[in-house]
Amino acid sequence: RSFNMTFLEQQDLVLYWLDDVDAGYFSRTQVKRWLNNAQQEVQKVLEQAFEGYFIKCVETTLVLNQREYELPTDFKRLHRIEVVLDGTTFQNQSVQLLGKITPNQQDALARSGIPIGYYFKGTQLIMVPCPNVAKTLRMEYCYRLSDLVNDSDVSEIPKQFHEYSSLLAARDGFLKDGRNADLLQKKIDDYETGLKRDAEERNVDAPRTVTQTIFDENSDEWY
C-alpha cells in the first residue's frame, strides 16, 4: 500500500491478517498496543537504513553558570549540538560544535567558558566547561514517535511502510495464538530486504570512509 493509513485502517488490516475482522478474539486494545510497538520497531529499522527521517532542531539560551540542561521528553538520539557564537543567519553564523566526552575527561578542560563538550547524566545534558556566556545552544536530535491513540491518527512512519508496521503487529497476534507465521514472516522479510536495497541505492555515491573524533567513542542513544 502506498497511501497514508489511519490508525483504524491499520487495525483493520491487522485483524484481516489474523482472520478476526470483527475483533471477536483479538481485542482492538491488544491490536493497538501491537501497532504502537511495531511503529517503534519500524522507526529503528528506518533509522538504520536511512538518515534524517525523524530529526528535530531545537534551540535554547545558555544560562550563566548552569551546566545541566534537561533533554526533550521525546529525545532518542543526538545528531548534532553546537553553540552559536555570533551571526543571525545560517550563512553568517559562527558556531562551536560540541563533542561528546566522558565525565572524567572534563577535568582536562576549563571550569568556565564557552562549552566545547558534553556528556549525559540521567535525563540531562551536561555542558563542559560551565557556560559563562548567554549564547544560543542548538541541538538536532532523533525524536521518539508518539503512540497512536485516536482512530483518525496517522503514523509519522512514511506511508510506504504503514503496511510493514501492520505486518509486525499481526505477527504478535500469530505468536500469541501459537499459530505458524511463516507466510507473514516472508512478507516481513521482503520489506526488510527492500529497505536494505533502497538504502544501498540511496548511498551508492556516498564516501566510503568514516571520520571519527576522540569524542565519538560512546553511543548517543537515549532509552
Side-chain angles (χ1 to χ4, degrees):
R1 307 177 70 127
S2 59
F3 56 89
N4 283 324
M5 298 175 66
T6 65
F7 195 25
L8 179 60
E9 288 173 328
Q10 285 191 291
Q11 294 170 48
D12 289 342
L13 184 56
V14 172
L15 290 167
Y16 168 78
W17 278 324
L18 292 172
D19 297 320
D20 187 27
V21 293
D22 295 323
Y25 180 71
F26 298 100
S27 72
R28 286 192 178 268
T29 298
Q30 287 178 313
V31 172
K32 289 177 181 179
R33 181 168 62 251
W34 291 336
L35 278 168
N36 278 313
N37 290 341
Q39 178 180 243
Q40 299 301 327
E41 289 304 309
V42 174
Q43 181 183 12
K44 291 178 184 178
V45 173
L46 289 175
E47 288 170 2
Q48 292 170 357
F50 303 105
E51 297 177 357
Y53 258 128
F54 310 103
I55 293 181
K56 284 183 181 179
C57 181
V58 295
E59 295 182 351
T60 189
T61 302
L62 291 172
V63 178
L64 272 64
N65 302 320
Q66 178 179 313
R67 303 174 65 222
E68 302 87 1
Y69 295 82
E70 284 293 326
L71 292 164
T73 55
D74 61 353
F75 181 87
K76 184 173 173 63
R77 184 174 62 252
L78 185 62
H79 278 260
R80 179 183 175 91
I81 186 166
E82 62 190 14
V83 175
V84 180
L85 301 176
D86 56 58
T88 56
T89 65
F90 178 83
Q91 291 81 358
N92 65 19
Q93 281 181 344
S94 174
V95 302
Q96 170 65 59
L97 184 65
L98 276 63
K100 187 176 182 181
I101 66 172
T102 67
N104 286 338
Q105 285 176 314
Q106 67 181 313
D107 295 334
L109 301 174
R111 291 288 182 175
S112 178
I114 296 175
I116 62 173
Y118 70 90
Y119 63 90
F120 293 109
K121 181 181 179 182
T123 61
Q124 295 180 327
L125 199 64
I126 311 301
M127 299 287 102
V128 182
C130 183
N132 65 356
V133 290
K135 299 289 186 180
T136 296
L137 180 69
R138 178 185 296 143
M139 180 171 70
E140 294 180 7
Y141 70 98
C142 175
Y143 62 93
R144 180 176 290 102
L145 297 181
S146 299
D147 282 349
L148 302 170
V149 177
N150 302 309
D151 285 344
S152 59
D153 289 348
V154 175
S155 173
E156 291 185 62
I157 296 292
K159 61 184 179 181
Q160 63 267 37
F161 303 115
H162 284 186
E163 185 181 56
Y164 181 29
S165 294
S166 300
L167 284 165
L168 293 177
R171 184 177 63 183
D172 282 346
F174 272 71
L175 294 174
K176 179 182 183 297
D177 204 27
R179 294 159 60 185
N180 188 312
D182 287 350
L183 292 178
L184 205 68
Q185 187 61 51
K186 174 64 167 58
K187 288 178 68 70
I188 292 171
D189 293 342
D190 288 344
Y191 260 105
E192 293 175 353
T193 298
L195 267 169
K196 293 175 183 177
R197 183 173 59 248
D198 290 346
E200 290 172 357
E201 291 175 354
R202 177 176 179 177
N203 295 314
V204 67
D205 295 325
R208 299 302 182 188
T209 59
V210 175
T211 301
Q212 181 174 2
T213 74
I214 61 172
F215 298 122
D216 290 337
E217 58 199 31
N218 297 310
S219 168
D220 287 337
E221 186 80 22
W222 181 255
Y223 298 99

